[in-house]
Amino acid sequence: MIGQLARQVLVTDDPLTAQQVGKITQTCIVKSEDCSICYMKVFPRSMVLRLPCPHIYHTKCISAWLQKNPRCPMCRKHALEGQ
């Protein structure tokens, strides 16, 4: 519990820089999913950003989002938590 509280204190709600967004893991998905930001299909074998939560988004969509708000639009977990 103390570790969880310490992580919350160390993680700020400042928007992420382009460099910070660039450090988030990119992955290739195997099944079709929808991007929760633009609602368009993410097709198999597409490269996406997978947040620690682990929701996935088109790189362009989530990059723009994280430079305004550092939390996942679905679950509100901080995008750098656990990285």
Side-chain angles (χ1 to χ4, degrees):
M1 186 164 149
I2 292 173
Q4 183 180 10
L5 289 173
R7 282 190 297 278
Q8 288 175 353
V9 170
L10 295 175
V11 175
T12 67
D13 277 313
D14 294 333
L16 301 186
T17 64
Q19 292 80 15
Q20 288 173 308
V21 172
K23 293 180 182 178
I24 296 173
T25 304
Q26 278 200 350
T27 189
C28 183
I29 64 167
V30 289
K31 67 176 187 155
S32 184
E33 297 185 39
D34 292 333
C35 175
S36 301
I37 295 174
C38 70
Y39 302 111
M40 300 291 290
K41 283 271 183 231
V42 180
F43 296 103
R45 296 184 300 260
S46 296
M47 292 301 289
V48 296
L49 284 187
R50 182 177 302 277
L51 299 182
C53 29
H55 293 109
I56 62 110
Y57 303 94
H58 291 116
T59 301
K60 183 178 177 181
C61 295
I62 195 64
S63 294
W65 173 272
L66 293 174
Q67 290 180 51
K68 294 177 184 151
N69 185 328
R71 296 187 175 272
C72 173
M74 294 296 294
C75 68
R76 311 300 297 155
K77 185 173 182 180
H78 198 281
L80 298 180
E81 191 173 318
Q83 294 225 347

